Amino acid sequence: MSLIDSLTFFARHPLTRDAQISGMIRFLKWQISSRLAPGAIVHDWVNGSRFLVRRGDAGLTGNVYAGLHEFREMGYLLHVLREDDLFVDVGANVGSYTILACAAVGCCGVAVEPIPSTYSRLVENVRLNRLEAKVSCLNLAVGKEAGRIAFTSDLDTANHAVTAPAAGMSTVEVEVGTLDAVLGGRSPTMLKIDVEGFETAVLEGAHGTLSDPALHSVIMELNGSGRRYGYDESAIVETMRSLGFESLDYDPYTRKLRPGVRSDSDNVIFVRDLPRVHERLATSRRVRVLGKEF
């Protein structure tokens, strides 16, 4: 993140827009310390959770700078989940959402990450938070059917499935399973799906999971990447609607869900069973991040 990008980020982020100088100080401190540190740095996070972060970790440094990189989505997770829930993280990367759900809230979890090097970082963060008994980490991809597929391996949070690897492209072949098979009948209350355009294939292998009435929320990245596979992401919205889900925006400060999707976010929060969800949002404990409670 460049200095200009950082200034824009702090000016827009709900946790830093009225404290931009503090945000820049955190940014500068990280830029210095990450260059001096010989390896990963332990960052203390929400409700006693922690993560290991290294220079260049796009999936984690936003949390260092602004408390919760994706404030609305992460705030929703922190408010709606309970300790007896099961959270499933498809495309977990190094574990930001898994840490929040399973260390900060206390859920059980299943974290799925296909890239071996990224998976090892995920496991490090699970161990750092002593979550081995609560979180199952799986080094595989999720798709429409079982098999194997190539993935890019050097693009950090933008690694994705490759149907026809180009010459010189750094790839790794990984196992693929369906989400229904991975869960084996377990019933999650929330899914997070971030698979860089492969969302349609994930949903096609998750009919049982999506039909389970225990599932009330799905946070899904829809950034147009599905075009690389010939997928129409607008069809995903229709699929979710047919299953009873509404696409909603969330304000963690007011704890209110609103119709629609934010134009400045790639993530969509899909919610069903609204009375149940509203009750959870209204009664969840307050969260403190960067000196602010919500």
Side-chain angles (χ1 to χ4, degrees):
M1 188 181 289
S2 70
L3 181 60
I4 298 300
D5 290 339
S6 299
L7 289 171
T8 302
F9 177 67
F10 296 134
R12 294 177 176 174
H13 196 283
L15 287 173
T16 60
R17 59 192 173 204
D18 60 351
Q20 295 177 46
I21 293 176
S22 296
M24 284 306 303
I25 290 172
R26 283 191 298 275
F27 172 80
L28 294 172
K29 285 176 66 175
W30 169 252
Q31 294 301 315
I32 294 169
S33 61
S34 64
R35 285 167 170 79
L36 297 176
I41 296 173
V42 176
H43 181 77
D44 293 325
W45 205 16
V46 182
N47 291 346
S49 64
R50 303 185 295 169
F51 56 77
L52 286 163
V53 58
R54 295 170 174 82
R55 185 167 177 243
D57 279 350
L60 290 174
T61 50
N63 298 319
V64 175
Y65 302 152
L68 295 173
H69 188 182
E70 297 175 339
F71 178 63
R72 292 169 180 84
E73 301 89 330
M74 290 177 165
Y76 178 73
L77 177 153
L78 288 166
H79 285 157
V80 82
L81 287 179
R82 298 292 186 268
E83 290 185 5
D84 57 353
D85 288 339
L86 175 64
F87 172 74
V88 177
D89 197 349
V90 180
N93 198 259
V94 297
S96 289
Y97 277 84
T98 294
I99 294 166
L100 285 179
C102 303
V105 177
C107 299
C108 288
V110 177
V112 184
E113 171 54 43
I115 311 303
S117 57
T118 307
Y119 172 78
S120 67
R121 299 282 313 285
L122 167 67
V123 171
E124 282 182 344
N125 281 318
V126 166
R127 290 174 177 166
L128 177 67
N129 288 280
R130 300 179 180 178
L131 295 172
E132 295 95 328
K134 296 180 74 72
V135 177
S136 299
C137 295
L138 303 174
N139 185 198
L140 78 164
V142 176
K144 178 180 180 179
E145 57 191 8
R148 297 188 69 82
I149 194 170
F151 266 76
T152 60
S153 59
D154 58 356
L155 300 179
D156 194 35
T157 56
N159 279 314
H160 56 271
V162 180
T163 53
M169 181 181 289
S170 179
T171 63
V172 59
E173 188 175 81
V174 301
E175 180 184 354
V176 182
T178 68
L179 187 57
D180 285 346
V182 165
L183 293 180
R186 298 177 71 186
S187 297
T189 54
M190 176 183 280
L191 305 177
K192 189 225 80 181
I193 303 174
D194 182 355
V195 290
E196 298 300 320
F198 214 56
E199 291 81 12
T200 298
V202 171
L203 298 181
E204 288 175 342
H207 295 296
T209 302
L210 293 169
S211 299
D212 190 328
L215 180 69
H216 59 64
S217 301
V218 180
I219 298 173
M220 193 183 322
E221 184 183 57
L222 297 177
N223 61 9
S225 296
R227 288 190 295 269
R228 65 163 63 101
Y229 310 110
Y231 295 141
D232 177 6
E233 291 184 355
S234 64
I236 290 178
V237 177
E238 292 304 315
T239 296
M240 297 300 288
R241 184 175 292 128
S242 73
L243 292 164
F245 289 93
E246 297 181 47
S247 52
L248 301 172
D249 184 30
Y250 182 64
D251 181 353
Y253 285 127
T254 63
R255 301 196 182 200
K256 299 297 185 183
L257 286 163
R258 299 179 295 236
V261 178
R262 294 189 63 85
S263 61
D264 60 352
S265 175
D266 290 334
N267 293 318
V268 179
I269 303 174
F270 292 102
V271 182
R272 69 181 172 196
D273 196 354
L274 282 171
R276 175 187 176 200
V277 168
H278 285 314
E279 190 276 333
R280 283 180 168 232
L281 296 174
T283 59
S284 64
R285 64 181 179 177
R286 296 183 67 79
V287 181
R288 188 174 183 85
V289 181
L290 297 185
K292 297 181 179 181
E293 286 193 350
F294 51 88

mmCIF file of all heavy atoms in Angstrom, residues 180-202:
data_model
loop_
_atom_site.group_PDB
_atom_site.id
_atom_site.type_symbol
_atom_site.label_atom_id
_atom_site.label_comp_id
_atom_site.label_asym_id
_atom_site.label_seq_id
_atom_site.Cartn_x
_atom_site.Cartn_y
_atom_site.Cartn_z
ATOM 1 N N ASP A 180 -19.903 -29.682 0.478
ATOM 2 C CA ASP A 180 -20.757 -30.658 1.157
ATOM 3 C C ASP A 180 -19.940 -31.832 1.658
ATOM 4 O O ASP A 180 -20.133 -32.313 2.787
ATOM 5 C CB ASP A 180 -21.852 -31.153 0.205
ATOM 6 C CG ASP A 180 -22.957 -30.133 -0.001
ATOM 7 O OD1 ASP A 180 -23.038 -29.159 0.774
ATOM 8 O OD2 ASP A 180 -23.746 -30.308 -0.951
ATOM 9 N N ALA A 181 -19.001 -32.323 0.836
ATOM 10 C CA ALA A 181 -18.171 -33.460 1.252
ATOM 11 C C ALA A 181 -17.209 -33.057 2.354
ATOM 12 O O ALA A 181 -16.977 -33.817 3.304
ATOM 13 C CB ALA A 181 -17.406 -34.005 0.049
ATOM 14 N N VAL A 182 -16.639 -31.855 2.247
ATOM 15 C CA VAL A 182 -15.702 -31.370 3.260
ATOM 16 C C VAL A 182 -16.370 -31.297 4.631
ATOM 17 O O VAL A 182 -15.792 -31.691 5.655
ATOM 18 C CB VAL A 182 -15.158 -29.985 2.859
ATOM 19 C CG1 VAL A 182 -14.473 -29.299 4.040
ATOM 20 C CG2 VAL A 182 -14.175 -30.115 1.699
ATOM 21 N N LEU A 183 -17.599 -30.814 4.665
ATOM 22 C CA LEU A 183 -18.287 -30.643 5.953
ATOM 23 C C LEU A 183 -18.886 -31.949 6.461
ATOM 24 O O LEU A 183 -19.114 -32.097 7.665
ATOM 25 C CB LEU A 183 -19.369 -29.582 5.823
ATOM 26 C CG LEU A 183 -18.853 -28.159 5.566
ATOM 27 C CD1 LEU A 183 -20.016 -27.178 5.453
ATOM 28 C CD2 LEU A 183 -17.904 -27.728 6.669
ATOM 29 N N GLY A 184 -19.165 -32.881 5.575
ATOM 30 C CA GLY A 184 -19.637 -34.191 6.010
ATOM 31 C C GLY A 184 -20.875 -34.151 6.886
ATOM 32 O O GLY A 184 -20.977 -34.899 7.864
ATOM 33 N N GLY A 185 -21.799 -33.253 6.569
ATOM 34 C CA GLY A 185 -23.037 -33.175 7.339
ATOM 35 C C GLY A 185 -23.021 -32.176 8.470
ATOM 36 O O GLY A 185 -24.062 -31.949 9.106
ATOM 37 N N ARG A 186 -21.873 -31.567 8.759
ATOM 38 C CA ARG A 186 -21.831 -30.535 9.799
ATOM 39 C C ARG A 186 -22.578 -29.299 9.305
ATOM 40 O O ARG A 186 -22.583 -28.986 8.116
ATOM 41 C CB ARG A 186 -20.389 -30.180 10.153
ATOM 42 C CG ARG A 186 -19.598 -31.351 10.714
ATOM 43 C CD ARG A 186 -18.151 -30.959 10.980
ATOM 44 N NE ARG A 186 -18.052 -30.056 12.116
ATOM 45 C CZ ARG A 186 -16.900 -29.477 12.491
ATOM 46 N NH1 ARG A 186 -15.792 -29.673 11.791
ATOM 47 N NH2 ARG A 186 -16.863 -28.675 13.547
ATOM 48 N N SER A 187 -23.182 -28.565 10.222
ATOM 49 C CA SER A 187 -24.062 -27.454 9.869
ATOM 50 C C SER A 187 -23.467 -26.112 10.295
ATOM 51 O O SER A 187 -23.532 -25.737 11.475
ATOM 52 C CB SER A 187 -25.427 -27.626 10.541
ATOM 53 O OG SER A 187 -26.072 -28.795 10.082
ATOM 54 N N PRO A 188 -22.900 -25.359 9.369
ATOM 55 C CA PRO A 188 -22.383 -24.028 9.722
ATOM 56 C C PRO A 188 -23.495 -23.007 9.850
ATOM 57 O O PRO A 188 -24.565 -23.141 9.236
ATOM 58 C CB PRO A 188 -21.472 -23.684 8.541
ATOM 59 C CG PRO A 188 -22.067 -24.418 7.385
ATOM 60 C CD PRO A 188 -22.642 -25.697 7.957
ATOM 61 N N THR A 189 -23.256 -21.986 10.652
ATOM 62 C CA THR A 189 -24.174 -20.859 10.718
ATOM 63 C C THR A 189 -23.715 -19.724 9.813
ATOM 64 O O THR A 189 -24.526 -18.883 9.411
ATOM 65 C CB THR A 189 -24.310 -20.335 12.157
ATOM 66 O OG1 THR A 189 -23.005 -20.051 12.673
ATOM 67 C CG2 THR A 189 -24.984 -21.354 13.047
ATOM 68 N N MET A 190 -22.410 -19.697 9.490
ATOM 69 C CA MET A 190 -21.888 -18.665 8.593
ATOM 70 C C MET A 190 -20.810 -19.244 7.704
ATOM 71 O O MET A 190 -19.979 -20.048 8.151
ATOM 72 C CB MET A 190 -21.320 -17.473 9.377
ATOM 73 C CG MET A 190 -20.671 -16.401 8.479
ATOM 74 S SD MET A 190 -19.912 -15.030 9.384
ATOM 75 C CE MET A 190 -21.377 -14.062 9.756
ATOM 76 N N LEU A 191 -20.831 -18.814 6.428
ATOM 77 C CA LEU A 191 -19.758 -19.097 5.483
ATOM 78 C C LEU A 191 -19.092 -17.792 5.092
ATOM 79 O O LEU A 191 -19.759 -16.764 4.939
ATOM 80 C CB LEU A 191 -20.282 -19.747 4.200
ATOM 81 C CG LEU A 191 -21.113 -21.024 4.261
ATOM 82 C CD1 LEU A 191 -21.544 -21.396 2.843
ATOM 83 C CD2 LEU A 191 -20.303 -22.148 4.877
ATOM 84 N N LYS A 192 -17.774 -17.827 4.913
ATOM 85 C CA LYS A 192 -17.081 -16.748 4.218
ATOM 86 C C LYS A 192 -16.434 -17.373 2.996
ATOM 87 O O LYS A 192 -15.700 -18.367 3.117
ATOM 88 C CB LYS A 192 -16.015 -16.103 5.100
ATOM 89 C CG LYS A 192 -15.418 -14.829 4.484
ATOM 90 C CD LYS A 192 -13.908 -14.786 4.598
ATOM 91 C CE LYS A 192 -13.239 -15.635 3.541
ATOM 92 N NZ LYS A 192 -11.756 -15.645 3.634
ATOM 93 N N ILE A 193 -16.723 -16.837 1.821
ATOM 94 C CA ILE A 193 -16.207 -17.416 0.572
ATOM 95 C C ILE A 193 -15.441 -16.331 -0.179
ATOM 96 O O ILE A 193 -16.015 -15.334 -0.617
ATOM 97 C CB ILE A 193 -17.356 -17.962 -0.310
ATOM 98 C CG1 ILE A 193 -18.181 -18.995 0.462
ATOM 99 C CG2 ILE A 193 -16.797 -18.563 -1.590
ATOM 100 C CD1 ILE A 193 -19.418 -19.469 -0.279
ATOM 101 N N ASP A 194 -14.139 -16.538 -0.318
ATOM 102 C CA ASP A 194 -13.274 -15.588 -1.021
ATOM 103 C C ASP A 194 -12.328 -16.403 -1.890
ATOM 104 O O ASP A 194 -11.257 -16.822 -1.444
ATOM 105 C CB ASP A 194 -12.505 -14.744 -0.008
ATOM 106 C CG ASP A 194 -11.613 -13.700 -0.669
ATOM 107 O OD1 ASP A 194 -11.514 -13.694 -1.915
ATOM 108 O OD2 ASP A 194 -10.998 -12.891 0.061
ATOM 109 N N VAL A 195 -12.732 -16.673 -3.127
ATOM 110 C CA VAL A 195 -11.993 -17.603 -3.981
ATOM 111 C C VAL A 195 -11.682 -17.003 -5.358
ATOM 112 O O VAL A 195 -11.488 -17.734 -6.334
ATOM 113 C CB VAL A 195 -12.755 -18.937 -4.121
ATOM 114 C CG1 VAL A 195 -12.738 -19.704 -2.807
ATOM 115 C CG2 VAL A 195 -14.191 -18.721 -4.571
ATOM 116 N N GLU A 196 -11.616 -15.684 -5.425
ATOM 117 C CA GLU A 196 -11.125 -14.979 -6.608
ATOM 118 C C GLU A 196 -11.794 -15.428 -7.907
ATOM 119 O O GLU A 196 -11.135 -15.764 -8.884
ATOM 120 C CB GLU A 196 -9.601 -15.140 -6.712
ATOM 121 C CG GLU A 196 -8.831 -14.554 -5.542
ATOM 122 C CD GLU A 196 -9.065 -13.054 -5.378
ATOM 123 O OE1 GLU A 196 -9.130 -12.350 -6.406
ATOM 124 O OE2 GLU A 196 -9.201 -12.605 -4.229
ATOM 125 N N GLY A 197 -13.119 -15.438 -7.907
ATOM 126 C CA GLY A 197 -13.864 -15.732 -9.117
ATOM 127 C C GLY A 197 -14.394 -17.140 -9.234
ATOM 128 O O GLY A 197 -15.194 -17.437 -10.124
ATOM 129 N N PHE A 198 -13.969 -18.043 -8.329
ATOM 130 C CA PHE A 198 -14.379 -19.446 -8.390
ATOM 131 C C PHE A 198 -15.626 -19.712 -7.559
ATOM 132 O O PHE A 198 -15.976 -20.865 -7.286
ATOM 133 C CB PHE A 198 -13.217 -20.328 -7.910
ATOM 134 C CG PHE A 198 -13.121 -21.662 -8.603
ATOM 135 C CD1 PHE A 198 -13.012 -21.756 -9.985
ATOM 136 C CD2 PHE A 198 -13.117 -22.840 -7.871
ATOM 137 C CE1 PHE A 198 -12.906 -22.980 -10.622
ATOM 138 C CE2 PHE A 198 -13.016 -24.078 -8.498
ATOM 139 C CZ PHE A 198 -12.915 -24.148 -9.879
ATOM 140 N N GLU A 199 -16.315 -18.638 -7.143
ATOM 141 C CA GLU A 199 -17.459 -18.764 -6.240
ATOM 142 C C GLU A 199 -18.566 -19.635 -6.824
ATOM 143 O O GLU A 199 -19.188 -20.423 -6.097
ATOM 144 C CB GLU A 199 -18.015 -17.376 -5.904
ATOM 145 C CG GLU A 199 -17.115 -16.516 -5.045
ATOM 146 C CD GLU A 199 -16.024 -15.831 -5.837
ATOM 147 O OE1 GLU A 199 -16.089 -15.828 -7.098
ATOM 148 O OE2 GLU A 199 -15.089 -15.303 -5.208
ATOM 149 N N THR A 200 -18.834 -19.512 -8.114
ATOM 150 C CA THR A 200 -19.912 -20.295 -8.728
ATOM 151 C C THR A 200 -19.666 -21.781 -8.554
ATOM 152 O O THR A 200 -20.581 -22.552 -8.212
ATOM 153 C CB THR A 200 -20.046 -19.949 -10.223
ATOM 154 O OG1 THR A 200 -20.401 -18.566 -10.349
ATOM 155 C CG2 THR A 200 -21.113 -20.804 -10.893
ATOM 156 N N ALA A 201 -18.427 -22.215 -8.789
ATOM 157 C CA ALA A 201 -18.091 -23.626 -8.632
ATOM 158 C C ALA A 201 -18.237 -24.071 -7.178
ATOM 159 O O ALA A 201 -18.691 -25.187 -6.901
ATOM 160 C CB ALA A 201 -16.662 -23.885 -9.132
ATOM 161 N N VAL A 202 -17.852 -23.201 -6.248
ATOM 162 C CA VAL A 202 -18.008 -23.529 -4.825
ATOM 163 C C VAL A 202 -19.476 -23.769 -4.496
ATOM 164 O O VAL A 202 -19.838 -24.757 -3.832
ATOM 165 C CB VAL A 202 -17.436 -22.401 -3.940
ATOM 166 C CG1 VAL A 202 -17.796 -22.635 -2.472
ATOM 167 C CG2 VAL A 202 -15.923 -22.308 -4.095
#
